[in-house]
Amino acid sequence: MTQPVSPPRDSTAKVPEGRPPAWRGLPARADVRTLSLLGVLAALIVVGGITKPDEFLDTRNLQLVLTQASVVGVVTVGMTFVIVSGGIDLSVGAIVALASVWATTVATQEYGFAGILFTAIVVGVGCGLVNGVLIAYGGMVPFIATLAMLASARGLALQITDGKTQIVTVPSVLDLGERDAYVLGIPPLVLVFAVVTVIGWLVLNRTTFGRRTVAVGGNPEAARLAGIDVRRQRLYLYLLSGLCCGIAAFLLIVLSGSGQNTNGNLYELDAIAAAIIGGTLLTGGRGTITGSVLGVLIFFTITNIFALNNLQSDVQQIAKGAIIVAAVLVQRRTASTT
């Protein structure tokens, strides 16, 4: 007599009625967050248009805002990857300074455009390599390792320049900052920022590397058990951050036409703040490139509006601090409801 065959069990866990899986709400929350950021940016544009219509809405002013945002924006893309993985990089501003002064020495400028670009990127990647090795294989806490890099890079940048500004004399580099180099009215620096943003979005959302980054940030031990080399992944992420710093250093050289040891001042705070505003969790495991970019644009729009209205820089810093606190509180409230 044959025994009754029981139906096969579903390998996927069933979700109780009325409680959909948590991951299903992530796209919706991301869309709401993006729309909210777009709303804030639109409101700021309206404010700027009302308070200083002639100056703020002028094409040259808007181009200036986008150009200035491009430098910090490229750094923020790399910072977003690092924070999503559960790390932090306090040295990005110092790396930008070191890369910019190393790439603008007299010896480097003798090699022209290619020499300046190559040096900036190599210095940035080299600093990222040191950070990555110390953190991933040396077991150092990211805060301490990158803080040490911040101090070292700033000191080396000061030593190279001896406190002096290094003027760029390579015409092909300076020409990128001229209006004749604009493409359909868009500055070349903005185009570079757009390309970096698109590549960053694709890597984070459409590649195995991006999924591994999120996994490492969400639960490093689970990621290790799933076969991910957590240490190597962290090394790659700090290399990526260093690469972005090198690109940003070159953009800053084009923008300012010089290299200074004070370049990149407080870039680390701007990049971290922009990522947080964009919805990237400081604890890791979640973040969006789109949100981070919108955070950068919001910050620089605020700065521009304050400058046009002759408000002092201390007021700008207070406003930025308030925005950061509000963003963190929103994150905590969102996390507590999921």
Side-chain angles (χ1 to χ4, degrees):
M1 184 174 179
T2 59
Q3 297 291 332
V5 180
S6 59
R9 296 180 61 185
D10 189 359
S11 59
T12 59
K14 294 184 179 180
V15 180
E17 290 188 25
R19 296 187 61 186
W23 61 265
R24 289 186 179 177
L26 290 177
R29 290 200 300 273
D31 291 341
V32 171
R33 186 164 50 247
T34 301
L35 291 175
S36 301
L37 292 172
L38 287 172
V40 172
L41 183 59
L44 290 173
I45 293 174
V46 171
V47 171
I50 293 175
T51 57
K52 292 288 182 178
D54 296 334
E55 295 91 341
F56 180 78
L57 297 178
D58 183 71
T59 302
R60 296 196 176 209
N61 181 64
L62 297 178
Q63 290 172 336
L64 176 63
V65 173
L66 290 175
T67 301
Q68 293 176 337
S70 297
V71 181
V72 177
V74 171
V75 174
T76 303
V77 172
M79 180 70 78
T80 301
F81 276 89
V82 171
I83 297 178
V84 168
S85 72
I88 198 72
D89 192 347
L90 301 179
S91 64
V92 290
I95 293 175
V96 169
L98 179 59
S100 69
V101 300
W102 208 323
T104 54
T105 60
V106 175
T108 303
Q109 292 194 50
E110 291 180 355
Y111 294 93
F113 183 100
I116 293 176
L117 176 60
F118 177 78
T119 302
I121 291 179
V122 167
V123 172
V125 173
C127 291
L129 176 63
V130 173
N131 281 336
V133 170
L134 290 176
I135 294 168
Y137 295 96
M140 291 188 68
V141 177
F143 182 90
I144 300 300
T146 57
L147 185 62
M149 175 59 72
L150 183 156
S152 302
R154 283 289 179 192
L156 185 55
L158 179 60
Q159 186 178 49
I160 291 175
T161 61
D162 195 24
K164 300 176 182 178
T165 300
Q166 298 178 165
I167 304 299
V168 177
T169 59
V170 180
S172 56
V173 173
L174 299 174
D175 289 344
L176 287 177
E178 300 295 331
R179 296 188 64 83
D180 293 339
Y182 288 12
V183 179
L184 300 177
I186 303 175
L189 274 66
V190 178
L191 294 176
V192 173
F193 176 35
V195 171
V196 171
T197 298
V198 171
I199 294 175
W201 186 91
L202 290 174
V203 171
L204 184 60
N205 295 281
R206 294 292 185 268
T207 67
T208 302
F209 182 87
R211 290 190 290 272
R212 288 175 177 173
T213 300
V214 175
V216 169
N219 191 325
E221 182 61 21
R224 186 187 66 81
L225 294 175
I228 298 175
D229 190 331
V230 175
R231 293 190 299 178
R232 185 173 61 186
Q233 184 70 17
R234 285 175 173 160
L235 173 62
Y236 289 161
L237 288 166
Y238 282 95
L239 284 173
L240 176 60
S241 179
L243 173 62
C244 289
C245 290
I247 296 173
F250 180 77
L251 297 183
L252 190 57
I253 291 171
V254 173
L255 182 62
S256 63
S258 64
Q260 304 177 54
N261 66 287
T262 56
N263 282 343
N265 187 35
L266 297 181
Y267 275 16
E268 57 277 358
L269 297 184
D270 288 340
I272 293 171
I276 294 174
I277 290 174
T280 301
L281 291 180
L282 278 175
T283 53
R286 191 183 78 190
T288 67
I289 299 296
T290 303
S292 296
V293 170
L294 289 175
V296 172
L297 295 177
I298 288 173
F299 266 164
F300 277 86
T301 302
I302 291 174
T303 300
N304 185 254
I305 292 173
F306 282 14
L308 291 176
N309 286 275
N310 297 320
L311 295 176
Q312 297 180 354
S313 59
D314 55 350
V315 180
Q316 298 178 25
Q317 298 302 323
I318 293 173
K320 287 183 179 181
I323 293 173
I324 295 172
V325 171
V328 172
L329 291 176
V330 170
Q331 280 191 2
R332 292 186 60 183
R333 181 176 180 83
T334 302
S336 64
T337 57
T338 57

